Amino acid sequence: MAWKEDYQRWQAYEGLDSKVREQLDQLSGDDKAIEDHFYKTLEFGTGGIRGEIGPGINRMNVYTMRKAAKGLADYVASKGKEAMNRGVVIAYDNRRMSKEFAVEAAETLGKNGVKAYVFSELRPTPVLSFAVRHLNTFAGAMITASHNPPEYNGFKAYGEDGCQLVPEDADQLIGFVNAVEDELEVETGDQNELLSNGLMQWVLDEVDDAYLHEMKAVIMDQGLIDEMGGELSIVFTPLHGTAQKPMMNTFAMAGFTNVHPVSEQAEPDTEFTTVKSPNPEEHSAFELAIKKGEEVNADLLIATDPDADRIGLAVKNHQGDYQVFSGNQTGGLLLDYLLMKRKEKGNLPDNGMVLKTIVTSELGRVIAEAYGMQSLDVLTGFKFIGEKIRQYETSGEHTFLFGYEESYGYLIEPFARDKDAIQPGLLAAEMAAYYKKLGMSLYDALLDLYKRYGFFYEDLVSYTFKGKEGSEKIVRIMDTFRQSVADGELEDDVVAVEDYKSGKRTDLKSGQESDVNLPSSNVLKMFLADGSWYCLRPSGTEPKIKFYFGVNGDSHEQTSARLEELKSLVTQKAEQI
């Protein structure tokens, strides 16, 4: 019943923020709601914190934000005076209270002697990642809940390389955050005083201009854009988020002049009023883009999520309907085009490396190998791709070529170190122009990709379980599948299992174990005899457990049937649990 003590502590706190006080009072008499707001501390994990906005230690509010910022301040201070002087750059998206949370974080950092650079307008996650490197700060913070529903917000922490903190560094930060005993007592500085003494500084144009300049490196064929940039018809929507200015500025810089914004979604909106979900992974998010596309006969539709680190594409199929590509399909097309152009220009390095996650399509590996390049799987989470880029820069062992994950995240040039929707938006437009010049659509290009490399189909099934009971259900599902491995009760054609929690790969026929050589993570992946696979992964940012599926075959019909068979087999087992 510890939640009651924390609730009473908040109730008794005389200095409680007036908005938080009003929200807290609305919970009065509803013990189930109060318990949900207070039964646990909103966990600061390896990716930061994310949760619903509201009162309580299990919600995002000014006090949980101050606690996170105080932990970050103490983490930076532990690295010395130079780190404190280099400071932290903070950006924020269009969500409820995003700018307020950014200022709260800056005032907390400043109070603790750590300089804070704060964007004066909302900007995307990739611009924050770039800003860390451009301003040479010791750390960065992004106030965002990515593509979560409107009631969510969050805080992501970045290291000095512009990458989200990898586990070793994140664990240190988590330790400092958890050491903050009373979130209500965290002190903040006065904004005007901090601005006058240099512990807080607003930034915008300098970073914008530098980021736009770096985008030129993403262009593979400027001559092609000069020729086709006015002919290719593009519809773009930021889904009410942060990408409108940087994406449109990038198109203009490159020479794409026939771009049609979705006006209803071009302005930031905390409530995302025109979409059920501001997530380009959801096909329904393209509804207004498709309407606009039909009006202007667009060749390419582009949608980005609120903090512009994810991007979705849609093009017309042979029936004349706009079809939304999966993240794996977009990734395969971008990778093939990128490597093709680099080969044409003679700048494919001998030690080139393509990075993808363990739940991303094997198509990427096959494409990389076709061009004589290597590929490597990392854990889900773009920070692991960023970590490898840093290692390669230091060792010279490999040259980074492309990084991506199935959940619509891509990185082409490493001037940012998180997934960046603006970069693939530009490259996708160039790619569409290339195929249009050949008399092909991107849909034709996708079919050609399958023809050349084989049919690789993937799918994702998510189960959402909210609250305390939901968390327990997710644990039960993972435990049951792990026990099935131990008891030998998996399907007969499962030939190997990788348990990223134990770090072991088990060959089920021989019983031999080997090391996975990846950081520990609560993920299970099963490999089947025909090359198919499926993977179980609880989300680190949402109350979900995700089941990923991948199959390959020689035809659309065969591969589609196999995918449905595998999905049915696994989800039936999950639903029985």
Side-chain angles (χ1 to χ4, degrees):
M1 302 294 283
W3 60 268
K4 284 191 175 182
E5 294 177 10
D6 280 311
Y7 169 62
Q8 291 164 359
R9 178 169 60 87
W10 277 52
Q11 278 280 34
Y13 186 66
E14 293 183 0
L16 199 68
D17 176 84
S18 59
K19 289 183 180 178
V20 176
R21 171 69 66 189
E22 181 181 346
Q23 294 169 336
L24 192 66
D25 290 344
Q26 291 173 359
L27 299 178
S28 180
D30 188 343
D31 280 359
K32 187 173 182 180
I34 294 171
E35 181 182 9
D36 190 47
H37 283 245
F38 286 92
Y39 84 93
K40 67 173 182 177
T41 298
L42 190 63
E43 184 178 359
F44 196 105
T46 56
I49 54 173
R50 189 183 301 182
E52 294 182 48
I53 298 171
I57 60 174
N58 189 32
R59 291 293 188 272
M60 286 296 301
N61 49 65
V62 295
Y63 300 105
T64 50
M65 180 56 63
R66 289 174 186 172
K67 179 178 179 177
K70 178 63 165 68
L72 179 58
D74 292 343
Y75 168 74
V76 174
S78 74
K79 305 301 180 180
K81 192 65 177 177
E82 182 191 4
M84 296 172 71
N85 292 337
R86 287 169 62 188
V88 178
V89 58
I90 305 169
Y92 52 92
D93 66 8
N94 58 298
R95 290 182 172 274
R96 300 173 190 170
M97 297 194 72
S98 276
K99 188 168 186 178
E100 291 94 326
F101 285 159
V103 172
E104 288 283 351
E107 291 174 346
T108 304
L109 289 163
K111 180 67 175 179
N112 288 273
V114 177
K115 180 164 184 174
Y117 298 87
V118 186
F119 277 83
S120 56
E121 293 179 5
L122 54 80
R123 284 296 181 271
T125 288
V127 174
L128 180 278
S129 174
F130 169 75
V132 173
R133 298 168 59 78
H134 178 71
L135 297 171
N136 191 35
T137 61
F138 185 77
M142 183 71 198
I143 311 301
T144 180
S146 189
H147 56 282
N148 281 53
E151 61 269 22
Y152 281 77
N153 212 328
F155 174 104
K156 294 195 290 189
Y158 289 75
E160 60 185 328
D161 62 344
C163 176
Q164 286 191 56
L165 293 179
V166 295
E168 181 181 350
D169 296 324
D171 287 345
Q172 293 182 42
L173 174 57
I174 291 167
F176 283 107
V177 173
N178 291 341
V180 178
E181 294 182 356
D182 189 342
E183 67 286 339
L184 299 178
E185 298 293 344
V186 175
E187 296 182 357
T188 60
D190 176 76
Q191 183 179 144
N192 291 330
E193 184 178 331
L194 294 173
L195 287 167
S196 66
N197 66 22
L199 280 170
M200 182 174 172
Q201 180 179 328
W202 299 107
V203 295
L204 189 67
D205 291 344
E206 175 197 346
V207 178
D208 282 354
D209 293 344
Y211 177 78
L212 185 62
H213 177 77
E214 292 286 351
M215 287 298 299
K216 295 177 181 178
V218 177
I219 298 171
M220 292 289 107
D221 191 339
Q222 185 62 59
L224 171 69
I225 298 176
D226 293 342
E227 180 183 354
M228 300 293 295
E231 293 187 33
L232 184 78
S233 178
I234 304 169
V235 166
F236 171 65
T237 173
L239 298 179
H240 300 294
T242 59
Q244 183 70 16
K245 285 185 179 180
M247 192 76 256
M248 294 301 289
N249 288 343
T250 297
F251 284 141
M253 174 275 295
F256 289 102
T257 57
N258 192 9
V259 183
H260 308 272
V262 178
S263 57
E264 302 95 323
Q265 297 172 334
E267 293 300 317
D269 177 4
T270 61
E271 306 311 303
F272 308 103
T273 49
T274 67
V275 290
K276 292 179 181 177
S277 171
N279 184 358
E281 294 182 73
E282 303 289 342
H283 293 190
S284 61
F286 277 85
E287 184 177 342
L288 289 179
I290 289 172
K291 181 180 177 183
K292 186 72 173 181
E294 291 170 344
E295 290 175 7
V296 301
N297 193 28
D299 300 296
L300 174 64
L301 313 182
I302 298 176
T304 55
D305 74 340
D307 68 324
D309 64 353
R310 299 173 191 243
I311 187 170
L313 308 180
V315 298
K316 283 186 177 179
N317 59 25
H318 291 167
Q319 287 72 47
D321 300 320
Y322 283 104
Q323 178 171 321
V324 180
F325 286 160
S326 72
N328 284 312
Q329 290 170 334
T330 295
L333 284 166
L334 288 170
L335 176 59
D336 185 63
Y337 179 77
L338 179 71
L339 297 184
M340 175 187 68
K341 281 296 181 180
R342 291 194 66 147
K343 184 177 181 180
E344 284 181 5
K345 295 163 71 172
N347 66 354
L348 268 180
D350 293 336
N351 63 348
M353 178 66 76
V354 173
L355 299 170
K356 68 184 189 71
T357 70
I358 57 174
V359 295
T360 299
S361 174
E362 287 298 292
L363 177 59
R365 192 184 316 280
V366 174
I367 293 172
E369 290 173 352
Y371 286 91
M373 300 294 102
Q374 298 181 59
S375 64
L376 180 71
D377 282 2
V378 298
L379 288 179
T380 303
F382 221 85
K383 58 180 170 286
F384 296 111
I385 291 176
E387 179 184 30
K388 284 296 179 184
I389 296 172
R390 179 174 58 183
Q391 290 175 6
Y392 296 157
E393 283 183 339
T394 302
S395 69
E397 178 185 3
H398 294 291
T399 298
F400 170 74
L401 293 174
F402 185 72
Y404 76 115
E405 56 187 9
E406 54 76 37
S407 56
Y408 292 58
Y410 314 92
L411 184 66
I412 299 153
E413 291 291 331
F415 56 81
R417 293 296 166 90
D418 205 345
K419 49 188 179 285
D420 183 344
I422 312 302
Q423 290 191 32
L426 175 57
L427 190 65
E430 181 187 323
M431 177 173 64
Y434 170 83
Y435 284 109
K436 182 167 185 173
K437 185 179 178 180
L438 296 180
M440 299 169 64
S441 69
L442 282 185
Y443 182 77
D444 296 322
L446 178 65
L447 298 182
D448 180 65
L449 200 69
Y450 287 143
K451 184 178 180 181
R452 285 187 284 142
Y453 298 116
F455 288 80
F456 288 79
Y457 288 178
E458 297 79 28
D459 207 350
L460 168 66
V461 177
S462 295
Y463 296 94
T464 300
F465 303 116
K466 289 191 175 184
K468 185 179 179 182
E469 292 180 1
S471 298
E472 293 168 350
K473 189 173 292 187
I474 290 171
V475 170
R476 190 161 62 248
I477 291 172
M478 292 300 296
D479 287 347
T480 302
F481 271 87
R482 279 199 172 89
Q483 192 61 45
S484 295
V485 176
D487 295 342
E489 295 177 353
L490 290 171
E491 302 79 12
D492 291 339
D493 54 350
V494 174
V495 295
V497 176
E498 289 183 353
D499 188 336
Y500 300 96
K501 190 173 184 179
S502 67
K504 297 294 183 182
R505 176 185 173 94
T506 304
D507 185 308
L508 297 185
K509 290 187 176 179
S510 66
Q512 289 186 334
E513 286 190 348
S514 57
D515 293 333
V516 173
N517 294 321
L518 289 173
S520 178
S521 183
N522 186 21
V523 181
L524 272 176
K525 188 172 183 179
M526 320 292 187
F527 299 84
L528 285 74
D530 64 354
S532 303
W533 57 269
Y534 67 92
C535 186
L536 288 71
R537 173 180 167 264
S539 172
T541 56
E542 302 171 89
K544 289 182 178 181
I545 183 168
K546 299 181 178 182
F547 287 76
Y548 301 83
F549 303 90
V551 302
N552 64 82
D554 299 324
S555 70
H556 166 73
E557 292 76 17
Q558 172 201 359
T559 312
S560 297
R562 176 58 179 143
L563 180 60
E564 292 307 311
E565 178 188 34
L566 183 60
K567 280 171 55 182
S568 176
L569 186 70
V570 177
T571 55
Q572 282 182 22
K573 180 176 180 178
E575 287 164 7
Q576 287 172 358
I577 299 170

